[in-house]
């Protein structure tokens, strides 16, 4: 399920434009049979319990047809679709035009009229539906409709709400939503994609007084993932109950979350019906062939770009509506090479494959629910330091996707029970309400309306304890240290690894770290502030006092560890590997002690020699993976190391009498695991060692501007726009321009990065790069096909995505994030690759290539953090968070250009019109407002306590309580509870 905001006056046209224009009222039969031969889709149908409050209380019948006038009144005027009467306050009264950071006039923000909740069936279900006979198609469609309506009904009871009172302090239940459902058959590119747009009006009646108010959008977006998982599970249950379909889990390439598809629908067949990018590339290749034939040469890079833009336009599906029957005929023709010429028989063969029982809610023992709760909480808390009930419910829903239930209701009952068990194991960070809460401000279940449903934040006891131990270590001053005079003397000389001394700021930070005696120390610095040079200074100072080998380097990835090793000149390792090996130390020591006993009693023999070799090997491993007194452990990119890892590492260091130094920037990316510990330790001190002077950029203005990006300061985006660093347009145009400019930089000999926050965009950019290099003859077109369908040939740049120490030589073993150039391909799918920088060759077997190799022309923000290049070209959408934007905008010394998607759509496949166009600076401003940093549970606990007891909140709650008491004395009193706006 995806969510789109629908602004006032938009959306209704595209929904109505796809509706068949015949006499809908006179049709009989199902939507599928009625529209089999007629162009278009069925008219919308009304949905939602809130319909009962319309038409001055007479209500609108659920399932009745939505006319164009109805939809215009809803989305164009926020009116009662039956009477045209305003529902609540007239829209737009409080919206005003304004001047942006560039002093340009801007239109007032558009009022949100509704939310398009698009429920899209898994591709395997859509394929089976599109190829089935009429009766089976009806049954799959009925299951899809039932699943969507079940989810909306569930959301009406548990998610949808409004806000009243001063500042929206009171969360009100609503009497249901007013919605219209529009069923569609295909994706924007014409592939089978059964989906339903459920347009929820941004007006609902509060249970308390019947007043029409806006929906609480935060509650809706908070629950979106759980609702999506619930739809998938409900659809699977209904299809299995009716047709007996089986389901199989599939791993995703870039996510640990499995997806479930109908058993028997192959990946190749599903890929055939996801062809938009392939169509563009094929059309572009044809244009290139024609160009070569006509000009006698390969096209230049800019000419290839123009051809791709032309191919994009020429392959874009036309707006003409086609009958369902015509669509089905085309789909069957495309599927013939995969399943033969009897598609209906093939679909019939999918039935009866389920071998799982259809469970009722009471069939599962409490012990099973408890175990599911434990696993779900472990997964959630492993990914984030704090979480809500909605997070746990979503994960529980994922954990039970493979279980088949007799009905969607049984599924939700079980999911809610498991969620409750999970929260019983958690620790609430949001304090309980203080003071007396009148019954009128409580829900039927007794909870306070001062708290939106599922808004409370939780963590686990284990994480809180880990954070407390880190704080204690950060305050302890019993660790080894170097006296300030000696440290200052070393800082004043040229560094061995740099050939120049430290700056005054760097020297001051190094001296503070070396002489502090803190067991857990920090060094904070923004991007480009010279942290690597400072770490080299720390290493030089420490080794001058405690000797060679007294510094250990760690980083969150093997590639980052290589960068650290180059910076400080000491052996380094990735943190996870070091901790894994450190945990084996007790076993090594025990074995070594037993060997010593055996060797003391042994006489010379071959067996004794073998024992001695093993003892020497173990001794070396103990030295390598252990710590000793007075050592210093430097952890680079510490913001990307999880809390539990830092806790374990610090515990090892404390027990050995060593010191840990965390180096990084809490304003950059967080770890994929529960994080926030680096920021917690750094901000526990009033004045931690820090670097402030940004040294990376060649342009003075960019030094200050980057610091504004770092903190999300207002006007930061405008500064980049004024300097010509911002481009804006639709996705395809921006990716084309980004790619063309990157190509120019590379051709000019610059080290340049193409970077995006998401893997899908990185894959798009990689395809563009490879296609051009093939056209130029630099890369061979044929080669090895990867798991995602990408072909890799000789000359291609690839990246390895998993550490594999038994591949390559001892000095060039294969690491996650390493970039290579393909030197040879093998018929079985294996590759021979050469490291792009530094040399070294590795033979990658087919199994590794298929699972862990990707094209490497573009990179994600996470892989880019820590890198420095000449220029960066970064793709940004409205979903990008501040931290990835900051990382992407600070890699290049000479320039960093931001290419902003000003027409972002969360689900392009089910979009039927271009979204509203936004100004790129507006998009960037919104990005900077949203931090994705993982805060520690300790910090969140403090923030929640402060928010709960803030004077403004207490005053608003007090006003709401007083209003209740006044209403008790005089029931005729009617008060406006809140402004009618989206919250």
């Amino acid at each position: 399920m995806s969510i789109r905001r629908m602004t006032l006056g938009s959306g209704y046209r595209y929904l109505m434009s796809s509706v068949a224009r015949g006499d809908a009222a006179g049709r009989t039969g199902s939507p599928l049979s009625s529209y089999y031969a007629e162009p278009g889709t069925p008219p919308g149908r009304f949905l939602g319990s809130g319909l009962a409050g319309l038409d001055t209380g007479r209500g609108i019948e659920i399932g009745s047809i939505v006319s164009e006038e109805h939809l215009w009144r809803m989305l164009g005027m926020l009116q009662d679709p039956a009477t045209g009467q305003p529902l609540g306050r007239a829209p737009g009264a409080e919206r005003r035009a304004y001047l942006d950071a560039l002093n340009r006039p801007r239109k007032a923000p558009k009022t949100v009229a509704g939310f398009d909740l698009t429920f899209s069936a898994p591709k395997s279900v859509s394929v089976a539906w599109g190829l089935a006979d009429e009766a089976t198609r009806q049954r799959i469609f009925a299951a899809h409709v039932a699943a969507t309506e079940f989810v909306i009904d569930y959301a009406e009871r548990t998610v949808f709400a409004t806000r009243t009172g001063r500042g929206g302090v009171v969360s009100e239940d609503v009497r249901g939503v007013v919605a219209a459902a529009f069923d569609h058959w295909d994706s924007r590119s014409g592939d089978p994609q059964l989906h339903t747009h459920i347009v929820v009006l941004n007006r609902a009646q509060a249970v308390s007084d019947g007043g029409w108010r806006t929906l609480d959008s935060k509650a809706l977006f908070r629950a979106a993932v759980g609702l999506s998982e619930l739809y998938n599970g409900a659809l699977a249950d209904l299809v299995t109950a009716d047709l007996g379909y089986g389901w199989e889990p599939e791993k995703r390439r870039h996510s640990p979350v499995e997806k479930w598809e109908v058993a028997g629908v192959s990946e190749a067949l599903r890929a055939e019906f996801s062809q938009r990018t392939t169509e563009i590339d094929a059309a572009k290749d044809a244009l290139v062939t024609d160009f070569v034939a006509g000009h006698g040469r390969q096209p230049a890079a800019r000419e290839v770009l123009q051809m791709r833009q032309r191919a994009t336009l020429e392959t874009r599906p036309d707006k003409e509506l086609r009958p369902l029957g015509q669509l089905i005929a085309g789909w069957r023709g495309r599927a013939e090479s995969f399943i033969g010429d009897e598609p209906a028989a093939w679909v019939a063969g999918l039935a009866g494959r389920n071998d799982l029982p259809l469970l009722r809610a009471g069939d599962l023992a409490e012990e099973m629910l408890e175990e599911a709760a434990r696993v779900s909480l472990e997964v959630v808390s492993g990914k984030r330091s704090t979480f809500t009930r909605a997070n746990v419910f979503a994960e529980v829903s994922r954990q039970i996707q493979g279980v088949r239930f007799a009905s969607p209701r049984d599924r939700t009952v079980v999911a809610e029970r498991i969620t409750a068990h999970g929260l019983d194991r958690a620790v609430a960070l949001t304090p309980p309400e203080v003071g007396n809460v009148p019954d009128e401000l409580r829900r039927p279940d007794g909870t306070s309306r001062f708290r939106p449903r599922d808004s409370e934040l939780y963590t686990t006891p284990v994480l809180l304890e880990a954070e407390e131990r880190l704080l204690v270590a950060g305050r302890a001053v019993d660790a080894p240290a170097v006296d300030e005079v000696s440290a200052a003397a070393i800082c004043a000389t040229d560094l061995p690894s740099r050939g120049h001394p430290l700056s005054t700021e760097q020297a001051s930070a190094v001296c503070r770290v070396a002489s502090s005696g803190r067991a857990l120390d920090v060094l904070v610095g923004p991007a480009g502030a010279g942290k690597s040079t400072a770490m080299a200074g720390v290493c030089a100072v420490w080794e001058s006092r405690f000797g060679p080998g007294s510094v250990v380097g760690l980083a969150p990835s093997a590639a980052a560890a290589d960068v650290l090793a180059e910076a400080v000149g000491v052996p380094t390792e990735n943190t996870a590997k070091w901790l894994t090996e450190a945990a084996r130390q007790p076993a090594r020591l025990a074995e070594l002690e037993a060997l010593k006993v055996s060797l003391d009693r042994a006489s010379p023999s071959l067996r004794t020699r073998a024992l001695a070799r093993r003892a020497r090997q173990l001794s070396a491993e103990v030295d390598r993976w252990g710590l000793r007194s007075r050592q210093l452990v430097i952890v680079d990119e510490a913001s990307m190391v999880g809390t539990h890892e830092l806790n374990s590492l610090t515990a090892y260091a404390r027990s050995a009498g060593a010191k840990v130094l965390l180096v990084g920037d809490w304003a950059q990316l967080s770890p994929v695991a529960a994080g926030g510990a680096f920021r917690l330790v750094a901000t526990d001190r009033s004045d931690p060692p820090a670097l402030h002077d940004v040294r990376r950029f060649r342009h003075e203005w960019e030094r200050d501007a980057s610091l504004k990006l770092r903190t999300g300061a207002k006007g930061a985006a405008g500064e980049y726009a004024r300097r010509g660093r911002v481009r804006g347009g639709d996705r395809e145009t921006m990716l084309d321009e980004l790619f063309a400019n990157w190509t120019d930089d590379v051709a000019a000999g610059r080290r340049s990065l193409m970077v995006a926050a998401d893997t899908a965009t990185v894959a798009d950019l990689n395809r563009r790069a490879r296609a051009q290099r093939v056209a130029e003859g630099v890369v061979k077109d044929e080669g090895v096909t990867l798991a995602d369908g990408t072909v890799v040939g000789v000359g291609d740049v690839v990246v390895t995505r998993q550490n594999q120490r038994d591949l390559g030589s001892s000095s060039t073993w294969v690491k996650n994030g390493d970039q290579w150039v393909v030197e040879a391909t093998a018929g079985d799918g294996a590759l021979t690759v050469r490291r792009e920088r530094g040399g070294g060759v590795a033979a990658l077997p087919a199994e590794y290539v298929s699972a862990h190799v990707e094209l490497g022309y573009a990179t994600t923000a996470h892989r880019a953090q820590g890198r420095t290049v000449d220029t960066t070209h970064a793709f940004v959408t409205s979903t990008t968070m501040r931290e990835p934007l900051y990382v992407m905008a600070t890699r290049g010394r000479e320039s960093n250009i931001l290419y902003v998607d000003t027409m972002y759509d969360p689900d392009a496949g089910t979009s039927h019109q271009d979204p509203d166009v936004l100004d790129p600076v507006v998009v960037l401003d919104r990005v900077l407002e949203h931090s994705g940093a993982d805060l520690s549970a300790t910090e969140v606990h403090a923030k929640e306590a402060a928010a709960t007891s803030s004077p403004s909140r207490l005053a608003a709650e007090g006003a709401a309580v007083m209003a209740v008491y006044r209403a008790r004395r005089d029931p005729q009193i009617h008060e406006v509870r809140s402004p009618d706006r989206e919250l």
Side-chain angles (χ1 to χ4, degrees):
M1 184 197 80
S2 61
I3 302 179
R4 300 177 180 88
R5 285 185 172 91
M6 305 183 73
T7 55
L8 200 67
S10 71
Y12 81 98
R13 290 187 181 88
Y14 88 81
L15 290 170
M16 297 306 301
S17 66
S18 65
V19 171
R21 295 299 179 178
D23 181 14
R27 292 191 182 93
T28 58
S30 77
L32 298 184
S33 59
S34 298
Y35 297 89
Y36 190 84
E38 183 172 352
T41 55
R45 62 187 189 280
F46 277 112
L47 186 69
S49 302
L51 295 172
L54 298 174
D55 196 9
T56 62
R58 288 187 290 271
I60 293 179
E61 183 179 356
I62 292 177
S64 58
I65 290 176
V66 178
S67 69
E68 188 163 358
E69 178 69 16
H70 288 148
L71 200 60
W72 164 247
R73 287 174 174 174
M74 291 168 63
L75 297 181
M77 303 296 290
L78 284 171
Q79 294 174 348
D80 186 318
T83 66
Q85 293 298 310
L87 297 177
R89 179 176 296 184
E94 74 283 3
R95 310 257 175 173
R96 291 187 176 87
Y98 66 99
L99 296 178
D100 68 7
L102 300 178
N103 206 34
R104 297 175 299 182
R106 293 295 180 200
K107 295 179 180 179
K110 292 185 178 181
T111 298
V112 176
F115 302 91
D116 177 358
L117 277 57
T118 304
F119 293 87
S120 188
K123 181 58 72 173
S124 57
V125 175
S126 290
V127 169
W129 168 85
L131 301 178
D133 58 45
E134 176 65 21
T136 304
R137 194 159 48 250
Q138 297 277 10
R139 293 160 74 179
I140 295 175
F141 175 70
H144 163 73
V145 170
T148 61
E149 293 180 352
F150 174 81
V151 173
I152 293 299
D153 177 69
Y154 177 80
E156 285 185 314
R157 291 181 283 109
T158 62
V159 175
F160 289 116
T162 187
R163 303 274 286 275
T164 63
R166 185 189 303 173
V169 71
V170 180
S171 176
E172 298 272 9
D173 291 345
V174 297
R175 297 178 180 179
V177 296
V178 174
F182 293 82
D183 302 312
H184 289 168
W185 318 135
D186 57 341
S187 69
R188 190 166 186 171
S189 55
D191 293 321
Q193 191 60 64
L194 178 60
H195 63 281
T196 297
H197 297 269
I198 296 183
V199 178
V200 179
L201 182 67
N202 193 22
R203 289 289 188 271
Q205 282 185 295
V207 170
S208 59
D209 62 4
W212 289 92
R213 298 183 178 87
T214 58
L215 291 171
D216 181 358
S217 62
K218 290 183 179 179
L220 176 58
F221 281 91
R222 186 164 54 238
V225 176
L227 295 179
S228 181
E229 294 291 343
L230 183 58
Y231 161 76
N232 290 335
L235 176 63
D237 291 338
L238 292 167
V239 168
T240 298
D242 187 23
L243 294 168
Y245 282 6
W247 297 81
E248 295 175 339
E250 290 189 359
K251 291 184 177 180
R252 303 173 193 256
R253 192 169 177 84
H254 297 287
S255 171
V257 179
E258 293 177 326
K259 64 176 181 176
W260 291 81
E261 299 285 358
V262 174
V265 183
S266 69
E267 184 177 358
L269 180 57
R270 299 198 307 270
E272 167 62 28
F273 292 116
S274 305
Q275 289 292 304
R276 177 62 178 152
T277 299
T278 304
E279 289 173 357
I280 294 173
D281 289 340
K284 183 267 300 173
D285 291 343
L287 292 173
V288 170
T289 301
D290 292 343
F291 181 95
V292 173
H295 294 76
R297 64 173 177 85
Q298 289 291 337
R302 288 282 174 178
E303 292 170 327
V304 174
L305 171 61
Q306 292 169 357
M307 291 177 196
R308 194 180 193 286
Q309 291 171 335
R310 177 181 165 188
T312 300
L313 292 174
E314 291 180 352
T315 58
R316 183 172 291 166
D318 55 39
K319 302 286 186 180
E320 181 183 355
L321 299 176
R322 289 182 288 172
L324 178 58
Q326 189 180 111
L327 291 170
I328 290 172
W331 297 336
R332 287 177 171 175
R334 291 169 58 185
E336 189 170 327
S337 62
F338 297 90
I339 61 173
D341 58 1
E342 294 293 338
W346 174 81
V347 174
L350 299 175
R353 298 193 182 197
N354 176 58
D355 56 3
L356 298 176
L358 303 185
L359 300 177
R360 294 288 182 185
D363 292 342
L364 297 174
E366 283 300 307
E367 293 78 11
M368 298 177 68
L369 302 183
E370 287 278 5
E371 176 60 16
R374 183 193 65 77
V375 172
S376 299
L377 194 67
E378 188 175 275
V379 172
V380 172
S381 63
K383 293 187 293 188
R384 58 185 79 214
S385 297
T386 64
F387 47 87
T388 65
R389 181 189 180 280
N391 298 135
V392 179
F393 179 83
E395 183 57 40
V396 167
S397 297
R398 291 192 191 102
Q399 292 291 330
I400 62 175
Q401 280 292 3
V403 181
R404 295 278 65 83
F405 289 92
S407 71
R409 181 184 177 281
D410 291 299
R411 174 175 293 277
T412 55
V413 169
V414 170
E416 288 180 332
R417 287 169 59 189
I418 295 174
T419 300
H421 284 308
L423 293 179
D424 286 343
R425 295 169 172 262
V427 176
L429 298 176
T430 306
E433 287 288 348
V434 296
N436 178 50
V437 179
D439 292 342
E440 291 89 337
L441 292 174
R442 292 188 180 277
R443 301 184 182 90
D445 62 3
T447 57
S448 169
R449 296 188 190 279
F450 288 139
R451 289 277 167 75
R453 290 186 187 275
D454 295 351
S455 64
E456 294 89 349
L457 291 169
Y458 298 86
T459 191
T460 61
V462 173
L463 188 80
L464 276 177
E465 292 167 4
E467 290 181 354
E468 180 58 31
R469 284 192 290 270
L470 288 171
L471 286 173
V472 170
R475 295 164 186 166
V477 290
D478 55 356
V482 180
D483 68 273
E484 288 190 50
V485 174
S486 299
I490 297 297
C491 289
T493 62
D494 289 349
L495 296 178
S497 60
R498 288 290 193 267
H500 59 78
L502 299 171
S503 70
T504 302
E505 181 185 61
Q506 290 169 334
S508 173
V510 168
C511 289
R512 291 185 61 193
V513 166
S515 63
S516 71
R518 289 183 183 267
L520 179 61
D521 219 335
V522 297
L523 175 58
V524 183
K531 293 188 292 294
S532 295
T533 300
M535 284 188 289
V538 170
C539 182
V541 168
W542 203 264
E543 289 191 332
S544 72
R545 173 66 178 83
F546 299 111
S550 59
V551 178
V552 176
L554 299 177
S557 70
D562 282 350
V563 174
L564 176 62
E566 185 178 345
V568 300
V570 299
T572 60
E573 187 55 80
N574 80 76
T575 312
K577 171 67 174 176
W578 193 94
L579 288 172
T580 299
E581 295 295 343
R584 296 172 180 162
Q585 288 289 76
R588 290 191 186 101
L589 292 170
E591 184 182 354
L592 186 59
E593 186 62 31
L595 285 172
K596 288 179 179 178
V597 172
S598 298
L599 287 170
D600 286 343
R601 302 171 180 172
S603 57
S605 67
L606 291 176
R607 179 177 178 276
T608 301
R609 291 179 184 177
L611 292 177
R613 283 196 301 272
R614 176 59 179 163
R616 288 193 296 271
Q617 177 186 356
L618 282 172
S619 294
E621 291 178 357
V622 167
D623 289 340
R624 181 180 179 185
W625 303 112
L627 294 175
R628 62 178 184 270
S629 177
R630 301 191 299 178
Q631 276 189 314
L632 171 67
V633 182
I634 300 178
V635 183
D636 194 17
E637 301 291 355
S639 69
M640 296 182 68
V641 182
T643 299
H644 293 299
E645 289 181 309
L646 289 180
N647 175 53
S648 297
L649 175 61
T650 304
Y652 283 125
R654 293 281 279 163
S655 63
K659 175 187 176 80
V660 176
L661 171 63
L662 307 181
V663 182
D665 181 12
W666 46 259
Q668 295 189 46
L669 295 168
S670 297
V672 294
F678 176 67
R679 176 187 169 106
L680 174 67
V681 175
T683 55
D684 188 54
R685 301 162 61 176
S686 60
D687 185 26
L691 304 175
H692 304 283
D693 184 16
V694 177
R695 316 167 71 83
R696 174 175 297 162
F697 309 114
R698 295 188 177 172
H699 301 284
E700 189 68 32
W701 71 267
E702 197 163 6
R703 300 178 182 182
D704 296 333
S706 69
L707 293 176
K708 292 178 181 178
L709 278 186
R710 181 175 182 262
T711 58
K714 288 185 178 181
E719 179 69 9
Y720 277 78
R722 276 193 294 273
R723 302 289 182 169
R725 295 294 186 82
V726 178
R727 312 281 192 273
D730 65 85
R731 176 185 173 85
E732 291 299 316
T733 301
M734 286 298 93
L735 291 182
D736 284 343
E737 185 175 347
L738 185 160
F739 173 68
N741 291 337
W742 172 80
T743 301
D744 290 344
D745 281 348
V746 172
R750 301 183 184 95
R751 291 187 61 209
S752 186
L753 273 182
M754 290 191 292
V755 60
D758 64 289
T759 55
T761 302
V762 169
D764 279 351
L765 291 169
N766 277 328
R767 280 192 289 267
R768 282 169 166 79
R770 181 174 201 276
Q772 177 179 308
R773 291 169 71 85
V774 169
E776 293 173 342
V778 179
V779 168
K780 285 191 176 181
D781 192 10
E782 68 280 358
V784 170
T785 300
L786 304 180
D788 61 358
T790 303
V791 176
V792 169
V794 173
D796 264 321
V797 175
V798 297
V799 60
T800 46
R801 302 295 292 122
Q802 178 166 288
N803 293 334
Q804 194 82 18
R805 293 173 185 263
D806 59 349
L807 296 179
S809 65
S810 59
S811 61
T812 61
W813 60 271
V814 176
K815 303 178 182 68
N816 178 14
D818 277 350
Q819 285 194 295
W820 311 78
V821 177
V822 177
E823 291 200 328
T825 62
D828 65 351
L831 295 176
T832 301
V833 294
R834 171 178 47 81
R835 194 178 295 276
E836 190 177 34
R837 296 182 64 200
V841 175
L844 307 180
E847 314 84 66
Y848 183 92
V849 171
S850 176
H852 307 301
V853 171
E854 301 169 3
L855 288 171
Y857 301 102
T859 185
T860 61
H862 273 82
R863 292 211 305 268
Q865 182 161 316
R867 294 182 64 178
T868 302
V869 294
D870 297 323
T871 64
T872 300
H873 301 275
F875 182 74
V876 183
T877 76
S878 58
T879 62
T880 306
M881 292 291 186
R882 182 198 305 161
E883 290 78 17
L885 173 63
Y886 174 57
V887 169
M888 294 189 295
T890 54
R891 299 303 97 198
R893 299 185 188 91
E894 296 179 13
S895 75
N896 299 276
I897 300 179
L898 308 176
Y899 302 80
V900 182
D901 182 354
T902 58
M903 301 171 64
Y904 174 76
D905 190 288
D907 185 4
T910 60
S911 173
H912 302 280
Q913 73 162 13
D914 290 332
D916 293 337
V917 180
L918 299 175
D919 186 274
V921 174
V922 171
V923 176
L924 291 173
D925 284 340
R926 294 178 181 177
V927 168
L928 292 174
E929 290 173 357
H930 293 91
S931 170
D934 198 3
L935 300 181
S936 66
T938 303
E939 185 175 355
V940 169
H941 190 196
K943 286 180 177 291
E944 286 290 286
T948 299
S949 59
S950 72
S952 59
R953 180 176 180 85
L954 292 176
E957 291 181 356
V961 172
M962 293 303 298
V964 167
Y965 291 152
R966 286 196 297 272
R968 285 179 181 178
R969 293 194 300 269
D970 185 357
Q972 300 303 312
I973 290 178
H974 174 72
E975 297 191 14
V976 177
R977 308 282 289 280
S978 71
D980 193 10
R981 58 185 176 87
E982 183 196 0
L983 294 168

